[in-house]
Amino acid sequence: DIVVTQSPDSLAVSLGERVTINCKSSQSVLHSDNKNYLGWYQQKPGQPPKLLIYWASTRKSGVPDRFSGSGSGTDFTLTISSLQAEDVADYYCQQYYSTPLTFGGGTKVEIK
Amino acid sequence: QLQLQESGPGLVKPSETLSLTCTVSGGSISSRDYSWDWIRQPPGKGLEWIGSFFSGGSTFYNPSLKSRVTIFIDTSNNQFSLKLTSLTAADTALYYCARGQENAALGKGWLDPWGQGTLVTVSS
């Protein structure tokens, strides 16, 4: 199984400031098609996860452009360029390079 | 807009079998290029993928649950279902259904959208 590790577990940031969440996979999720098989999800309290980003850096239609994904191989980052109140949530990365699909442990983002 | 809704018992006794159904609306469960997946989340914890039913008819299960899991689809009712046997307290979780994006290269893709989830408690 590919183990996916996120850091930090939680962080508190002031409104308008930058948020950076890291995700590391135990083996490369970069395929020979030059795509990274990794996605990011946002889960607000009491709601199901919602897809934010796929192919590590492609924003889903309708997702605000303050959310961006980067990285390749085994190391990835989700960035919120300017934290808004509605961004308070848990964030998860997920690899889909191989089954079983696996998720990171999650990062809780709060307002300082 | 595709929507998914889970249904099933909220309380199940230890050693019994859990049966959950996901009803799909706004699209056909027979669509190519998509799989139909189950994921669970123990209270206050992270996400665990349970398994998928692929458009070609094959299934893939998490090895940690493989001996106890069955996923199947009912095209006539546009539904897919999860069966999990020999329940213990460790199976207490919020159970989600989701559509998986298949891809030509490696088969699996991201999960979108998700149902609202249904809480299952295993207790006598």
Side-chain angles (χ1 to χ4, degrees), chain B residues 16-63:
Chain B
E16 292 190 341
T17 295
L18 172 67
S19 293
L20 295 176
T21 296
C22 182
T23 300
V24 178
S25 58
S28 173
I29 201 169
S30 300
S31 299
R32 288 290 178 186
D33 300 328
Y34 298 111
S35 66
W36 303 97
D37 290 55
W38 287 94
I39 306 96
R40 69 181 184 178
Q41 185 173 35
K45 296 189 176 180
L47 299 159
E48 179 183 33
W49 175 76
I50 297 171
S52 303
F53 189 102
F54 278 73
S55 62
S58 59
T59 51
F60 282 83
Y61 302 131
N62 193 321

Side-chain angles (χ1 to χ4, degrees), chain A residues 2 27-38 55-56 72-74 76 96-98, chain B residues 103-108:
Chain A
I2 296 178
Q27 63 188 75
S28 177
V29 297
L30 175 62
H31 189 253
S32 56
D33 60 5
N34 210 34
K35 293 179 178 177
N36 286 284
Y37 282 56
L38 186 119
W55 298 135
S72 186
T74 61
F76 300 90
Y96 46 92
Y97 186 89
S98 67
Chain B
N103 71 83
L106 290 178
K108 283 304 300 175

Side-chain angles (χ1 to χ4, degrees), chain B residues 5-12 17-23 38 80-82 95 117-121:
Chain B
Q5 180 65 58
E6 305 87 351
S7 59
L11 179 65
V12 189
T17 295
L18 172 67
S19 293
L20 295 176
T21 296
C22 182
T23 300
W38 287 94
F80 64 106
S81 297
L82 168 72
Y95 284 75
T118 186
L119 179 62
V120 174
T121 302

